Amino acid sequence: WVSLLLLDFCASLTQRAMLRAWLLLHNKFHPRQLYIHKRREHSLDLDLARAELQQRVEQAREQERKQRRLRALNLVQVRITHLLLCMAFLGSTMLLWLRLRHAFRCSFYVVLAPLMAFEVFLLGSSVVVYIVFLLRSSGGWTFYWNRLRGAVRWLILYTSPCEGAAVLLLACAIVPVTACTLEGDLPQVLLQHKHLRFVLPFFVFWLAALVVVCSLVRRRSFSASCAGSFTLLWLPLVSLSVLLFLKLSIFESLPMYAVFAPTLGMTSLLLVFVSFLVIASFWLGYRGNRDWTEYATFTLLTLLTVLIPLLLLQIGILAYLQGKLSTNTLFAPWTSWLACLTLCTACQVGSSVTASSALPADALTRPWRHHDRDPHSDTELLLPPTTTGIV
């Protein structure tokens, strides 16, 4: 019986020494009784170890399911949203080009239909984000909310849920209201007054901008992203909208270069600043810092694919409104640029999907599992992680 005890319940020198001490401590009992007791204890330990292993496996599977759902959610909120936005702008631009060339007779509802479809998608994805936000207090949804990405989550965090919903609804109402205004489907009270004919889309935009700035003022603490968004986006766009409304309604003699002055000036300043960042980053990267080299490459791509085309687009629109450019000369580069952006965004979506599918199904590492042993061994379940040999 002593030999059976040493053979069945000892997997290392440490366990053999402990078992001999245990036998000396209980030498008044028969070894058969000690074997029965040890067998029951061993069976209980095996059951506990198997239950713990099964629990770890279930936790790993649940974690992997959460990771897959989170990756899919972030893919929709970021990559697919960018792709659909580029496709919507590309489709509306092509339809507007055909309408201005009189090659395709359609209303402004059809011209702006791609943008309206994107707004429907944006509202649907925003509903999902708000559901995750409302359920974030529960343990299962906290994981998703803390790791969620996208503009809607940023809007909720930096404003409030109610203000974010108001901004989203007002922003999504700008394009349909603009289509109604251009088609003349407005109340007669607005159509009879020359100064109020174009006020409705501008009023919706100004109301959305007012909600954003009031929320930022209410917070009393401006972060770097809030200050940058206010300076680079809010201020130039609101100034452009005010000047454009004055041009269309009250001061018709206002020159177009004065209308585009805020956005042109901000884009030019941003172009100079980003150019300085590119030069400084490449200089630091040349001195051996790899992170600065990657940052310089990303900044240079942003400069070449976004800032310079935006500046040239504003100059082209200004020249077209003054009669210095033809329709094809303006829309051909514009459409080509949007097509390139759409293609790059589609490539990013494809690479993101490929990278997500290439991840292993079981990401939980098991440091106690040794590949040179039988995976179904009962003794292995009782070994500590630091055990290196079996006797």
Side-chain angles (χ1 to χ4, degrees), residues 342-360:
T342 305
L343 182 60
C344 293
T345 310
C347 293
Q348 289 181 353
V349 172
S351 62
S352 300
V353 172
T354 305
S356 299
S357 60
L359 291 176

Side-chain angles (χ1 to χ4, degrees), residues 66-351:
K66 288 183 178 180
Q67 290 288 350
R68 285 199 298 266
R69 298 190 193 106
L70 180 64
R71 286 196 295 267
L73 191 59
N74 285 333
L75 181 66
V76 172
Q77 292 294 326
V78 180
R79 299 297 186 186
I80 295 182
T81 301
H82 292 171
L83 178 61
L84 293 180
L85 179 61
C86 293
M87 293 176 62
F89 273 112
L90 179 61
S92 296
T93 303
M94 295 180 66
L95 291 174
L96 182 61
W97 186 7
L98 295 176
R99 177 185 170 88
L100 293 178
R101 289 188 59 194
H102 303 286
F104 179 66
R105 295 181 177 274
C106 61
S107 63
F108 282 100
Y109 295 110
V110 179
V111 172
L112 299 177
L115 290 177
M116 295 181 188
F118 170 75
E119 290 178 347
V120 172
F121 168 79
L122 181 62
L123 290 177
S125 60
S126 302
V127 170
V128 176
V129 176
Y130 269 90
I131 291 175
V132 176
F133 172 76
L134 294 176
L135 298 176
R136 72 191 187 281
S137 58
S138 59
W141 293 93
T142 306
F143 173 84
Y144 298 103
W145 175 251
N146 292 335
R147 295 164 178 81
L148 193 62
R149 298 169 58 191
V152 180
R153 182 179 184 271
W154 180 90
L155 191 63
I156 294 174
L157 290 178
Y158 284 94
T159 57
S160 68
C162 297
E163 293 170 344
V167 171
L168 284 173
L169 292 176
L170 291 173
C172 292
I174 294 175
V175 176
V177 172
T178 303
C180 294
T181 302
L182 295 176
E183 288 295 328
D185 297 335
L186 295 176
Q188 294 296 326
V189 179
L190 299 178
L191 293 176
Q192 292 175 358
H193 294 80
K194 180 180 179 181
H195 301 319
L196 300 179
R197 182 177 180 181
F198 299 99
V199 72
L200 194 56
F202 289 101
F203 175 76
V204 175
F205 176 76
W206 293 336
L207 188 58
L210 182 62
V211 172
V212 173
V213 74
C214 290
S215 177
L216 294 179
V217 172
R218 179 181 57 82
R219 291 175 61 88
R220 298 181 181 179
S221 60
F222 286 88
S223 61
S225 59
C226 292
S229 301
F230 178 81
T231 306
L232 300 178
L233 291 178
W234 190 91
L235 196 59
L237 291 179
V238 172
S239 303
L240 174 65
S241 64
V242 172
L243 293 174
L244 184 60
F245 175 74
L246 294 177
K247 170 69 177 178
L248 294 176
S249 59
I250 300 176
F251 301 106
E252 297 182 357
S253 60
L254 187 67
M256 290 303 301
Y257 64 84
V259 175
F260 284 90
T263 54
L264 282 173
M266 184 55 63
T267 308
S268 302
L269 291 176
L270 190 60
L271 188 63
V272 173
F273 177 71
V274 173
S275 301
F276 171 76
L277 282 181
V278 170
I279 296 173
S281 301
F282 271 114
W283 181 75
L284 292 174
Y286 177 75
R287 293 174 63 89
N289 195 328
R290 183 179 177 182
D291 295 336
W292 280 105
T293 304
E294 296 177 355
Y295 177 76
T297 305
F298 175 77
T299 310
L300 180 61
L301 290 177
T302 304
L303 178 69
L304 296 177
T305 58
V306 178
L307 293 179
I308 294 179
L310 279 178
L311 182 62
L312 295 178
L313 177 61
Q314 295 178 66
I315 296 175
I317 293 176
L318 183 60
Y320 174 77
L321 293 177
Q322 293 179 351
K324 297 180 181 180
L325 284 181
S326 62
T327 304
N328 294 334
T329 308
L330 174 65
F331 280 90
W334 187 0
T335 307
S336 302
W337 173 55
L338 290 177
C340 292
L341 284 182
T342 305
L343 182 60
C344 293
T345 310
C347 293
Q348 289 181 353
V349 172
S351 62

